[in-house]
Amino acid sequence: MKRAVLVIDVQESFRRRPYWDEADLPAFRQAVQTLLDEAAAAGVPALRIFHHEPAAPADDPFSPRSGLVRTLEGIRYTPVETFHKTVHSALYALSADGTALEHWLRQHGIEEVLVCGIRTEQCCETTTRHASDAGFLVRFVADATLTFPMTSAAGRRYTAADIRDRTTLVLDGRFARIVEAATAMDD
C-alpha cells in the first residue's frame, strides 16, 4: 500500500499567535522528526502543507510576505512537494502548479496518509475527516500533532492534552487509526 506523510502547518507563523505555548514543543518536534526520519527510511514521501493568507498585510504571520510561512525551526526534512492552503482541510491545498493535494495523492497512487502537524483539533482533525470521507486510509499520528490550551464559552479551560485526547477519541476507529510516531510506519 502506498503511503504519504502530510506535514500540516508545521510553520513559524504560529509563534506569533497570542496562544502560542512552548510547553509541548520539544516533544512535538521529536515526534515529528521521528516520523519524518522513519518515513524517509521507508521511502514514504513527505508532503509539506502551509497555511497562508495571500491577501493579508505583510505583518500578519500567515501572509506570504511575513517570512514566517516556512518550516518550524528544528524540523528537518526534504518534502517531495509543497502545497499552500487557505482553509482547514489540507486536501484543498494547491501546489505551485495549481494541483490540489487530493489530486496529487490520487495521481501518485497514495492509498493511506499519515497526518501530523499544527493544530490537532483544527487542520489536522479536519484533514483526517476529509481524507477518510474521500476514501483514503488515515493514520493520525497523535504525538506528532501540536495544539494549545483553550477556554470554552462556558469558561472551562482545556489543556492541550485534553484537546488531543478528545480529538483522538472522536477520530479513532471512525476516521483514522490512532498511532504514535515511533510506531506509525509499522504495519
Side-chain angles (χ1 to χ4, degrees):
M1 176 175 306
K2 288 186 77 175
R3 299 176 181 156
V5 177
L6 306 184
V7 185
I8 302 170
D9 303 345
V10 180
Q11 62 193 76
E12 283 294 317
S13 307
F14 283 100
R15 286 184 187 273
R16 299 290 173 90
R17 287 297 195 218
Y19 52 74
W20 176 260
D21 185 339
E22 299 268 334
D24 294 334
L25 185 60
F28 168 73
R29 272 195 189 126
Q30 182 177 357
V32 170
Q33 196 63 59
T34 296
L35 174 62
L36 291 170
D37 292 347
E38 293 290 324
V44 173
L47 304 171
R48 179 171 51 196
I49 299 102
F50 287 137
H51 187 91
H52 72 158
E53 296 294 337
D59 63 347
D60 183 304
F62 289 90
S63 167
R65 297 181 309 273
S66 71
L68 297 169
V69 181
R70 58 184 165 81
T71 301
L72 189 67
E73 289 179 20
I75 304 291
R76 299 166 318 282
Y77 72 114
T78 304
V80 171
E81 186 69 71
T82 298
F83 297 82
H84 289 87
K85 65 182 182 61
T86 58
V87 296
H88 292 97
S89 177
L91 293 190
Y92 292 121
L94 301 175
S95 66
D97 71 3
T99 302
L101 174 59
E102 181 177 359
H103 185 70
W104 189 99
L105 294 169
R106 295 192 192 288
Q107 280 182 321
H108 290 85
I110 304 298
E111 299 169 273
E112 183 175 47
V113 294
L114 290 88
V115 172
C116 69
I118 304 173
R119 294 181 64 172
T120 306
E121 77 291 353
Q122 288 187 22
C123 297
C124 295
E125 181 177 341
T126 301
T127 300
T128 296
R129 289 171 181 264
H130 186 176
S132 175
D133 284 352
F136 296 97
L137 295 175
V138 183
R139 293 185 191 201
F140 188 86
V141 190
D143 61 335
T145 68
L146 182 68
T147 196
F148 311 99
M150 296 171 68
T151 301
S152 72
R156 180 173 174 204
R157 182 155 172 82
Y158 293 84
T159 67
D162 292 336
I163 296 165
R164 191 174 301 105
D165 185 56
R166 175 255 168 224
T167 299
T168 59
L169 171 69
V170 299
L171 293 178
D172 189 28
R174 295 170 189 87
F175 299 96
R177 179 173 153 199
I178 308 303
V179 298
E180 298 293 316
T183 58
M185 299 302 298
D186 295 351
D187 286 323

